[in-house]
Amino acid sequence: MPDNTTSDIAVLGENQYGKAEVRLVRIERETPRHEITDFNVSSQLRGDLDAIHTDGDNAHCVATDSQKNTVYSLARDGVGTPEEFALRLGEHFTSSYDWISGGRWEIEKYSWVRIPTGAGEHDHSFVRSGTEVRTAVVQRDGDDVFVVAGLQDLTVLKSTASEFVGFTRDKYTTLAEATDRILATDVKARWRYTRSDLDFDAVFDDVRRLMLEQFATQHSYALQQTLYQMGIAVLEAHPEIAEIKFSMPNKHHFLVDLSPFGQDNPNVVFFAADRPYGLIEATVQRKDATPEPRAWASVTGFC
């Protein structure tokens, strides 16, 4: 056993460990028409783990390789939604080891759609559907369980019904006001549920629908205002959601000056700039919501 490492100035603070990004694909083969579920799973444990760090005593160390294998073993009997599978993992680890009091289980879900053929959608051939990713984070602290769902890389664009005027001007301002501009962003959002007995697929689908509908139909005076309207729509429709956080870059499209070529540009030709970009982040929450920082522990930034 290594010697205990002590310090006059340092002590161990909050900690967690586990196996990150376990790639899991499960095929449902009960019928000739197969179903595919594609997850990226991360498991991190918390509890009575100090001696692993301070003494090199691994008696309470559930190896990260064991956590990986647990993911695959539990998947044998089905996975369900990302939220349901993360909840199962949390229940397994906290009930199997007395010294594991909590943890964090995060899942990304990648979408596949059936390949169309002359005879219709193929039964067992698929193509990846865009870059959008569904996410879920489950955290446990003793008997308390927190579920945060979300999505990222949902790329949207509206070609009109967007403007940006009236902003502060000073000696550093070169941006021209725009009364009719392209508005584009990659939506990253996470929302916290107040309970876990939900049809997670149905709620996710409706939250996504509401966000897209608000983006499309609301006249935008700024990306900040659009974000806020998206959040309000979600909270008004879903009382089981306490708050929703957004991180949305402004994917700028600048009008190209065609005058050197003797041409005008009536708002039809643009340069799509990938950087630098505005980054708009905010939380939209219920007025009576009780803050729950444990649900957001180790969730990077706003999302």
Side-chain angles (χ1 to χ4, degrees), residues 253-271:
H253 290 69
F254 297 111
L255 199 67
V256 177
D257 180 11
L258 298 179
S259 61
F261 319 120
Q263 297 174 296
D264 65 353
N265 188 356
N267 220 24
V268 295
V269 180
F270 297 85
F271 166 63

Side-chain angles (χ1 to χ4, degrees), residues 31-233:
T31 70
R33 188 174 175 84
H34 295 172
E35 303 288 343
I36 182 171
T37 303
D38 190 347
F39 282 176
N40 191 34
V41 184
S42 293
S43 170
Q44 294 171 297
L45 307 182
R46 303 168 185 159
D48 181 9
L49 306 171
D50 287 8
I52 305 173
H53 299 80
T54 61
D55 301 344
D57 181 350
N58 293 327
H60 282 183
C61 183
V62 182
T64 66
D65 190 68
S66 301
Q67 295 180 53
K68 174 202 70 177
N69 291 337
T70 301
V71 169
Y72 292 132
S73 180
L74 293 186
R76 170 62 181 83
D77 297 324
V79 292
T81 69
E83 295 87 352
E84 290 167 341
F85 193 57
L87 286 164
R88 284 177 61 200
L89 287 167
E91 174 62 26
H92 168 83
F93 285 112
T94 55
S95 64
S96 298
Y97 306 97
D98 294 339
W99 59 90
I100 301 299
S101 59
R104 180 184 192 275
W105 295 272
E106 180 170 10
I107 297 178
E108 298 176 344
K109 180 181 180 181
Y110 308 125
S111 297
W112 294 82
V113 296
R114 299 183 186 280
I115 293 177
T117 72
E121 292 182 337
H122 201 273
D123 285 343
H124 55 261
S125 296
F126 305 84
V127 60
R128 271 291 296 271
S129 176
T131 60
E132 180 186 349
V133 176
R134 176 176 171 178
T135 64
V137 179
V138 168
Q139 307 207 60
R140 292 184 65 115
D141 183 9
D143 293 332
D144 295 330
V145 180
F146 309 98
V147 181
V148 173
L151 55 79
Q152 62 194 42
D153 297 326
L154 176 61
T155 302
V156 292
L157 180 150
K158 60 193 304 177
S159 55
T160 191
S162 171
E163 60 184 87
F164 188 54
V165 300
F167 49 87
T168 298
R169 306 196 73 88
D170 59 25
K171 66 179 182 179
Y172 298 110
T173 304
T174 59
L175 183 67
E177 293 192 341
T179 57
D180 186 6
R181 67 170 185 169
I182 289 176
L183 181 66
T185 186
D186 294 325
V187 180
K188 185 176 184 181
R190 293 189 192 265
W191 51 92
R192 174 169 65 91
Y193 290 120
T194 57
R195 41 188 254 257
S196 57
D197 56 335
L198 297 168
D199 183 340
F200 289 112
D201 278 347
V203 178
F204 175 87
D205 288 343
D206 196 55
V207 169
R208 183 181 183 278
R209 178 191 65 81
L210 288 165
M211 291 192 295
L212 289 175
E213 185 176 80
Q214 290 298 305
F215 180 86
T217 61
Q218 294 292 326
H219 186 95
S220 177
Y221 296 95
L223 185 53
Q224 290 91 328
Q225 173 250 349
T226 299
L227 175 159
Y228 187 53
Q229 293 297 323
M230 292 164 67
I232 289 174

